[in-house]
Amino acid sequence: MTRPGAIASIARRISRRLLMELLLSLREEMDSALREALEVLVPGLGEESISRAVFGPTKSPEHGDLATNAAMVFSKEHGRKPREMGEELAARLGEHRFVESAEVAGPGFVNVRLSRAAFVHVLHCIGELGENYGEGTLGQGESVLLEFVSANPTGPMHIGHCRHAAVGDALARLLRAAGHDVTTEFYINDAGTQMEALGESFRQRCFEAAGMPADAEGTQYTGEYLAEFARDFVAGKCVEELQGMAVEDFAQEARDRNLQMIKSDLEHMGVFFDSFVAERDLHESGEVAETLQKLRESGRVYEKDGALWLVTDGFGDDQDRVLVKSDGAPTYLVPDIAYHHDKFKRGFGRYINVFGADHGGYPPRLRAGISHLGHDVSRLTILLLRLVFLLREGKRVKFSKRAGNFVALADVVEEAGSDATRWFMLSRSVDSELEFDIDLAREATNRNPVYKVQYAHARICSVERKGRGAKLRAAEPSGQVLERLSAQVERDMVLALAQFPEIVERSARELAVHHLPAYLLHLADLWNSYWSLARTEPGMRILREDDRELTEARLLLASALRQVLANGLGMMGIAAPRKMLREEEDA
RNA sequence: GCGCCCGUAGCUCAGCUGGAUAGAGCAACGGACUUCUAAUCCGUAGGUCCCGCGUUCGAAUCGCGGCGGGCGCGCCA
């Protein structure tokens, strides 16, 4: 059954996709211009070599808008002088319609000043692609299974999970934007000894809540949340009923309640999963047993000291690992390999796992197991996220799970809000530890980058509203319109907007989420500077009653900027508000 | 001891496959509110890019060797 709107929606998506392939980004246009020029200048240059030469933004306006190092890269291996090659390259590039002038500078850079047509092109792309501007075709529809968070259903999530949730969700959005077909998955560790311990802990809590003799302190999980679950659970139940329950029943109940709590917490961050896979199901379906059997058949296991060992040689591990202990019980490794066996059997193009860096020793043995099952382990990428520290009043809050005084994800999100929490969790490279300054995150001032960016977006919406009130609309991009956007800031803004697609592509390629917030902050700064020019120079106001043409040109630039801010925030899972109330108006 | 990550401005961190005078945010200092939302802007100051050697026309970036910090190296999960 197809809903009426669905076809139109699909048609729209297809045409956007087509448009995207026809409408190359400025960078793509310039790169292909460079390739064409190089193919003529340096015949026989392979694809491999050509890709080493690219255009990049310049640091100073004196060097034009874009620069390439191509002449320096290739002159050496072809026994030419860099500047001489640069001259030839510049001459060729100068013929391109997006190039106003190209000249050699320094040791052999070719600096390009872009033509008005190039600027028109950028604004045209943004206008045509709208909310799809920034998306790309890098992924080519390849399917990706992205696993993240996978918090144990034994208790609440802590601040570390916050980073995992934010990063995983943003990666999903980025990969989708880059043209991948992404499925997000949460793995539920609901089997083994920790479930038994959870069951016993919960049973004691229930007995306690029902006024029966109990030993809740002696159990493994002592958090208050279990006691709350217990009070809720025992309400209306008689003593006999509780006494008649097996540990497994208590474990089941606690597991369900914990999972519900985890899902609800993630919901508050706006994080939803496409799929949940339970370890228990892997046991019940025979998947775990099958995996163990297949591992035995692979010949990459052996018996020693009464235990079954997995050969990890060649996968970066420093020793082999036990699969089945001498008491006959499998280690955690077996179901985990089984889970990945299951993943691979589902046939995705690529698998990405987001793990904590404290599991750093884990990928080698996991990869070994998967590989022994005959899967192409190069399709699996494991991302290790470093620790998060909560900073309150300028000091790191000490926390440890054992002491039970950890910082709960739910509390952080409630205190700082989902938007600010996400922003900070995404703002650092995953290889760096992250200091989360909660006082800064909850501040609604200019010190807080997320508000600065959201404010810039809201401000643009505000000026657009005002413009609409006066029947002023954004102009269609054209050479004539661009002629009116001649200020250096305006030039800088268009150039910055042109970078968005490559920022997205690079982020997706590197699985690095932190470029986006840095870029968006830069855009917001540009806009705020632009906006503020009017304070000392009334002619720089966006809305000029005395110059309709200029106003509509500036509204074009403003709306393009709003679009990119909104698209970028969207990829981070952060709202792009159309309005932000000032504190005194906040009622 | 071995493996991975980090070491860049007072603090927290960016610096893409090596590229032109090293950047941002916060903090500091000096300015700007009869606003198209000052939740903002302008300006100033601030760095032996941990150290050494090497590769290169060119190194914060690559290689090697140190130093300092984090994490990981269980028949725990």
Side-chain angles (χ1 to χ4, degrees), chain A residues 60-78:
Chain A
S60 150
E62 305 159 34
H63 299 137
D65 302 317
L66 294 176
T68 177
N69 60 351
M72 291 182 294
V73 172
F74 298 119
S75 59
K76 192 181 167 193
E77 52 199 67
H78 289 81

Side-chain angles (χ1 to χ4, degrees), chain A residues 181-378:
Chain A
D181 177 13
V182 181
T183 301
T184 57
E185 189 160 281
F186 185 115
Y187 179 57
I188 310 162
N189 265 293
D190 57 357
T193 51
Q194 66 172 10
M195 276 299 116
E196 283 173 40
L198 178 67
E200 187 52 34
S201 300
F202 186 54
R203 167 152 64 181
Q204 296 304 329
R205 282 296 185 192
C206 286
F207 285 180
E208 195 177 66
M212 298 155 64
D215 176 25
E217 291 308 310
T219 56
Q220 188 178 336
Y221 299 98
T222 56
E224 179 55 27
Y225 63 96
L226 262 194
E228 276 177 38
F229 288 163
R231 283 192 290 274
D232 184 65
F233 181 66
V234 301
K237 287 189 175 59
C238 59
V239 172
E240 289 71 26
E241 198 176 339
L242 291 175
Q243 282 172 331
M245 282 177 63
V247 189
E248 294 78 41
D249 300 327
F250 284 103
Q252 168 75 24
E253 182 64 30
R255 174 257 192 216
D256 289 349
R257 286 172 181 264
N258 276 319
L259 189 58
Q260 207 44 53
M261 174 172 65
I262 287 169
K263 285 183 179 174
S264 154
D265 286 353
L266 289 168
E267 234 169 78
H268 285 109
M269 280 186 77
V271 175
F272 300 88
F273 285 84
D274 297 321
S275 159
F276 286 82
V277 171
E279 177 181 357
R280 203 175 42 192
D281 293 341
L282 295 174
H283 286 281
E284 285 174 9
S285 68
E287 190 95 32
V288 176
E290 180 197 319
T291 297
L292 196 52
Q293 180 57 29
K294 279 197 183 301
L295 283 172
R296 287 182 194 276
E297 289 163 8
S298 75
R300 305 303 307 275
V301 300
Y302 58 90
E303 303 263 356
K304 192 181 89 178
D305 304 331
L308 187 71
W309 294 72
L310 177 80
V311 178
T312 61
D313 195 37
F315 291 88
D317 211 342
D318 50 5
Q319 63 178 89
D320 293 341
R321 303 290 162 180
V322 170
L323 287 173
V324 181
K325 296 185 272 186
S326 52
D327 66 2
T331 63
Y332 62 95
L333 198 51
V334 179
D336 281 358
I337 295 172
Y339 171 43
H340 284 81
H341 181 46
D342 174 73
K343 280 185 179 178
F344 274 78
K345 282 201 295 192
R346 283 183 271 159
F348 291 86
R350 222 179 140 191
Y351 308 83
I352 300 172
N353 293 357
V354 179
F355 285 174
D358 54 340
H359 289 71
Y362 192 59
R365 61 196 80 165
L366 186 59
R367 302 184 80 91
I370 294 166
S371 176
H372 297 344
L373 291 171
H375 300 299
D376 176 8
V377 80
S378 72

Side-chain angles (χ1 to χ4, degrees), chain A residues 76 123 168 182 230 246 323 341 367 395 405-406 415 431 456 561:
Chain A
K76 192 181 167 193
L123 295 176
V182 181
L323 287 173
H341 181 46
R367 302 184 80 91
K395 282 182 287 193
N405 65 340
F406 63 89
E415 194 174 335
D431 287 331
L561 195 87

